[in-house]
Amino acid sequence: MKPKKRLFWGIVSIPLFLLFLVGWGLIEPYILDEEEEEAIIPNLPATWEGKKIAQVSDFQVGMWWDNVKTVKNSVEKIIEERPAAVLISGDFIYHALPDSDPEIKEVVESIRPLTEANIPTYAVLGNHDYGMNSKKTQPKLELVDKLEKALENAGILVLKNEVIELPLPDTNNQAENSKLYLVGIGSHWAKNDRVDETLAQIPETSPRVVLMHNPDSFEAFPPNAAPFAVAGHTHGGQIRLPYLPQWSWLALAKEDKVFADEWAKGYGAAGNHLYVNRGIGFSDIPIRINCAPELTFFTLRSQEE
């Protein structure tokens, strides 16, 4: 090929490649990635051994071109699997302006089938649920109250620095030696993640699952206090390079320490392990590249097999 032709095709290939990326970025949000993981919980009761817990995160309903279709798809997949519990790690809505009612109604109706199928469903709230697009924004407490009431009317229990006992699947009896706790941590950006206060509600060696929105809250846990924790918030970086998850658009654009997805290795105190879910929705633009929306199923174990 002559030099002029090589130059021509080299110039033309750049916009064609960018056009392909944008096109794929608009398709990938509808390809739900189902991840299967093992979660190790010391002192896990034998009755919970092998049981599954599902996690979804960051629906961001209300953003332009939001991803409600994939939210509903994830709900259908969860109902098919019928885990012992579902954990939703915040950011149900996006900005909720000027009127939050349509966004709240849409997200609640999208996930209501979980509780109608009698699957225990729990949640914490994220920064967008407080109307906070940045750390400098003042939290909108009226919005939080409205969203929380709507979720709980649908049977979804919202935890804010609270601990509950997870109901044992397939039985009405909760024996003392079968207790598994769920620790729900409040919003980091709203300065409402009170880790020490929440941990004081349970015995030190009790088996627990920890649910939070922002991975930054995980740093506050003392050693061995969060052997299995889950978070969201990062969207997995949303647009990222293959094999380099930390090189992502959100890692460059946001102020947080972005642990893109999966197990955050080397992060937090000794004995603590955090899984970061990529979420389903978007931040700023409705595109995902090399970062498919995620539904995670965790199989609970007392030790590695």
Side-chain angles (χ1 to χ4, degrees), residues 182-244:
L182 175 61
V183 179
I185 301 298
S187 170
H188 180 71
W189 277 19
K191 295 181 171 57
N192 191 35
D193 49 346
R194 303 189 183 107
V195 171
D196 291 340
E197 173 185 314
T198 310
L199 289 175
Q201 300 173 38
I202 52 174
E204 188 174 336
T205 59
S206 60
R208 80 281 305 266
V209 180
V210 178
L211 173 63
M212 67 193 76
H213 173 68
N214 194 318
D216 286 358
S217 298
F218 186 68
E219 287 188 302
F221 279 83
N224 302 306
F228 170 44
V230 296
H233 181 66
T234 71
H235 304 187
Q238 198 167 308
I239 299 171
R240 63 189 192 185
L241 297 176
Y243 309 111
L244 294 170

Side-chain angles (χ1 to χ4, degrees), residues 80-132:
E80 288 175 11
E81 187 73 23
R82 297 204 65 83
V86 178
L87 309 181
I88 306 176
S89 42
D91 274 3
F92 289 87
I93 57 179
Y94 188 61
H95 48 63
L97 296 172
D99 180 14
S100 62
D101 289 345
E103 295 179 10
I104 291 175
K105 181 179 179 181
E106 185 164 30
V107 74
V108 169
E109 291 308 309
S110 296
I111 59 180
R112 187 189 296 273
L114 292 171
T115 55
E116 290 178 342
N118 295 317
I119 301 175
T121 304
Y122 309 93
V124 292
L125 300 181
N127 52 287
H128 283 282
D129 300 323
Y130 280 78
M132 299 180 70

Side-chain angles (χ1 to χ4, degrees), residues 135 188-189 214 216 233 250-251 254-259:
K135 292 179 179 179
H188 180 71
W189 277 19
N214 194 318
D216 286 358
H233 181 66
L250 282 182
K254 302 297 180 180
E255 300 173 359
D256 297 294
K257 298 174 182 177
V258 178
F259 289 89

Side-chain angles (χ1 to χ4, degrees), residues 11 35 46 62 78 80 90 102 111 125 133-134 137 139 145 169 173 187-188 204 211 229 242 246-247 249 262 293:
I11 294 172
E35 296 282 356
I78 292 170
E80 288 175 11
I111 59 180
L125 300 181
N133 292 329
S134 75
T137 308
D145 185 59
N173 298 319
S187 170
H188 180 71
E204 188 174 336
L211 173 63
Q246 295 301 112
W247 287 70
W249 173 63
E262 300 183 351

Side-chain angles (χ1 to χ4, degrees), residues 261-272:
D261 73 306
E262 300 183 351
W263 297 103
K265 296 177 181 177
Y267 180 53
N272 294 339

